[in-house]
Amino acid sequence: MMKQLLKSVRCILFFSALAVCATGCGSDAFSAWETDFDIAKEKAQSANKNILVFFSTDDAQGVSDDLKKNVFAKKKFVSAVSPDFTLLNISVTESEYTESQSDESEKSAFQKKLDILDTYSVETMPALYMLTKEGFVIKAFNYDPAVNSVAHYVELLGGEKENAASYNSLVRAVEESQGVYRVRAINALFDATEESYRALLLDYCREVSSLDPDNTTGLVGKFEFQTAYSEAIELFHAGNAEDAAKCFVDAVLKGHLSSAQIQEAYYNASYILAMSKTYDARVLDYLKLSYESLPEGEEAENVKRTIEAVESMLKNESEQKGNN
């Protein structure tokens, strides 16, 4: 359940494993690629193109550098994909990190890149992402050593044309609809989006309750839970465990969640408080509410064991205090 909340994708941790090396790829050879995310989005929207993002770094094996020189900087590749894509390279390097430690402007620029990596859940580089012009993820490609030539990558991207067209049609359906029809369109887009990238649809998710105040679609609870989940993760990463837990409790109180969602919401609220070392009565109370919401559910036994473990821990702490 809430293990994902502990999964920090702040790539600052990644740099401890980097070895400094020269990239060896001249800027002129790579000039077709934008390096600013906002500019790339503006160009993509103006030209009605998807965005192809190459996330790269200076790793010890030189993999990113090899891909730049042998594939992405080649005129043959650029000319083949440019009709369909605005090209964007987000590169994070050891030298940038070093400079950011002493220069405020460099720190801000570097942090912006880290935020983009965080937003798109980029855990390893190099990586290639296909986005809509709005910045939603159509497809994310992890690095594959066997895919290492212009022909390979052109074929790889060409194989996603139908998928890209279908996904973009779902985005258009949302933008062209209203009321409950928009709710259903949002739901279709949400379901077509890989779970790791659904947080990018948060603005759409927030609309659902006002678009369907009577919950005629039966989808309001689904998106209230998703909104709570996304907001809780952001607050938890920011160090605000209290408000993160409250997101889930407030979602329950709105009255639209299913029993399974209520169970997970209370469990998540408890988990957040426990992980922040807030071992007060609410941890156990939320766990009990979680269990009681669906005692016959498939997660109930796990919740029950957690309750027993917390009760045992609290008992031991109480006895130790008494002995002191």
Side-chain angles (χ1 to χ4, degrees), residues 160-174:
E160 293 296 326
K161 278 192 173 183
E162 187 175 334
N163 178 38
S166 176
Y167 193 89
N168 274 294
S169 70
L170 294 175
V171 178
R172 286 196 303 273
V174 173

Side-chain angles (χ1 to χ4, degrees), residues 97 130 142 183 199 202 217 234 294 302 313 321:
Y97 169 66
M130 184 187 294
N142 292 323
V183 172
L202 185 57
T217 61
E234 185 174 348
L294 195 62
N302 177 53
M313 180 190 71
K321 288 180 181 177

Side-chain angles (χ1 to χ4, degrees), residues 66-133:
D66 286 344
L67 283 177
K68 283 183 181 182
K69 290 188 296 185
N70 300 326
V71 180
F72 299 137
K74 295 291 187 182
K75 290 182 179 179
K76 188 175 181 180
F77 176 83
V78 172
S79 62
V81 303
S82 289
D84 298 315
F85 296 101
T86 294
L87 304 178
L88 171 65
N89 177 222
I90 302 296
S91 177
V92 286
T93 66
E94 179 73 17
S95 59
E96 285 180 301
Y97 169 66
T98 301
E99 291 171 10
S100 73
Q101 301 307 294
S102 57
D103 187 314
E104 282 301 316
S105 62
E106 291 293 335
K107 183 175 182 179
S108 176
F110 188 74
Q111 185 59 51
K112 183 178 179 180
K113 289 184 179 183
L114 294 184
D115 290 342
I116 293 171
L117 297 180
D118 198 350
T119 296
Y120 287 97
S121 301
V122 181
E123 297 176 25
T124 60
M125 292 179 281
L128 194 68
Y129 279 47
M130 184 187 294
L131 312 180
T132 68
K133 63 180 184 286

Side-chain angles (χ1 to χ4, degrees), residues 134-156:
E134 296 84 7
F136 305 140
V137 178
I138 300 170
K139 180 75 175 181
F141 305 94
N142 292 323
Y143 171 67
D144 181 353
V147 181
N148 55 18
S149 70
V150 169
H152 283 152
Y153 274 95
V154 170
E155 181 181 3
L156 182 70

